[in-house]
Amino acid sequence: MKRRDFHQHLQRSAIALALAPWMVAVASPAAADKALAWATNPFALGVASGRPRADSVVLWTRLLFSEQDRAFTAADPGPLRVQFEVFADAALKHRIQHNAIVTDGTRGHSVHAHVQHLQPSTEYWYRFRQGEALSAVGHTRTAPAWHADVRQLRIALASCQHYEQGQYLAHAEIAKQPLDFVLFVGDYIYESSNPQYAIRKHSGEEPKTLPQYRARYEQYKRDPMLQAAHAAHPWVLMWDDHEVVNDYANDQDRQYTDPQHMLLRRAAAYQAYFEHQPVLLGPDANNPANMRLYDQLSWGKLADVWTLDCRQYRSAQACRDPVRGGGRMVMQCDALNDPNRSMLGTAQERWFADSLSQSKRQWQLVAQATQISSTSVPAPAGRAYWNDAWDGYPEARKRLLQTVVDAKLQNVVTLGGDVHCNVAANLRLEPNSPQSPIVASEFVTTSITSRGLGDKPAAVIRDSNADLLHYRSEERGYSLITVTPAEVRCDFRTTKFPAGTEPGLKTQASYVVKRGKPGPQIM
Ligand code: FE
Ligand code: CA
């Protein structure tokens, strides 16, 4: 073990130790041992795994009480013990670990099992049990060992799954693909509705409280195609805005709500996010409006992967409308160029720059919520910029790309979502300027279901930005990212309108980035 790896190993062990009491100690074990006689299977939201490491993975489920079970157990059944089992085979003959997690109503009866001492690059199957009730069986896979020569990494890149605007056909296909993990970069739920585009309906009001956000996740997580994608693969997760509210920036929302109130809403949303995802750290006990989600994982010698949080710490959008804030096209906006404005916040930005510049792996994959390349358009005076994506944070974008240049990294590929558009783009310190060398490559995936920009504005954007090699907003789907030592390939898998029950996705286009040569090339 090299010195740095040993250090990281120690750090990870320390984190695991620090977490251990939080994970298990909730209340008296006697009370927790109660096995309920369930009228309805409580694992109605399915199972999930995430945060794959060479020796560990997080397993998730949540107990859901039907009306009948709620009536039977009284309002609060108290702490409950949920067993989990990990198997080395699909037939569940060879059980290699089993244990129990105590959960209760304070965490929505969610279960997060941080399973450790696993083998690298290995498949596992798992399930949960409470009383006589058994969950579905999930399948997961660990990351390769730190210094393993890895031939291939297969990722499904996905984002933006408005429940009302389509069926999760992309997830049905993702569930069947041979993958190492699903990389979901945000807008897992939507708080808002657009009734004119709905083919199925959100139940309940726009969520603002913890019970309301929980109910929204319940509706999404009941979808069988989404459950299948979770049961089939580990997920690596980052959020964007709609997990809280459209276009929010740190403690600011579009209505200019008092930041103290906005942070209460954000705390409820983050708590519900944690309760429904296979992630390790929950909201900070001292400040529940904070939750560190940004992270980094390694895939043998092949790749380092970062997931960057572009919402929690960012500066408010520049030149906001004084009545209706949030994202809009802005022009002649001097505030855009304020070097103090940040997309990642100071601490995350420094952490990322340090981590990126130390990376020795063959590829650096930088996952973040939105689009880095420019989508600016000609305006009466100069150009107009969409202030909610990285175009609204040009100095922060320049710092990010300057880190790549300073570290002399040739093989940085950024992966994004949010814009409901498939994008393959060149990244330069000066966007669209042929004099400025291409320093990195970008792929942004279209939405699973959420509606895209109209054809006309998409065409104007495409024709106004030479760095956009591919920019198509009219189809829904996900992107298959295949990483080998020689190249990173992106296949945009799409359908015109995800309304039926059969996947039927096709490849809209394929691009490849060759090692040592930044910039996507069409296949
Ligand atoms: Fe979205
Ligand atoms: Ca978004």
Side-chain angles (χ1 to χ4, degrees), residues 160 187 190 242 418 420 450:
C160 295
D187 291 356
Y190 279 70
H242 287 286
D418 174 47
H420 310 174
S450 311

Side-chain angles (χ1 to χ4, degrees), residues 36-41 64-75:
L36 297 186
W38 295 94
T40 309
N41 188 298
L64 204 60
F65 293 79
S66 65
E67 290 285 311
Q68 222 178 336
D69 283 311
R70 184 67 71 192
F72 188 71
T73 60

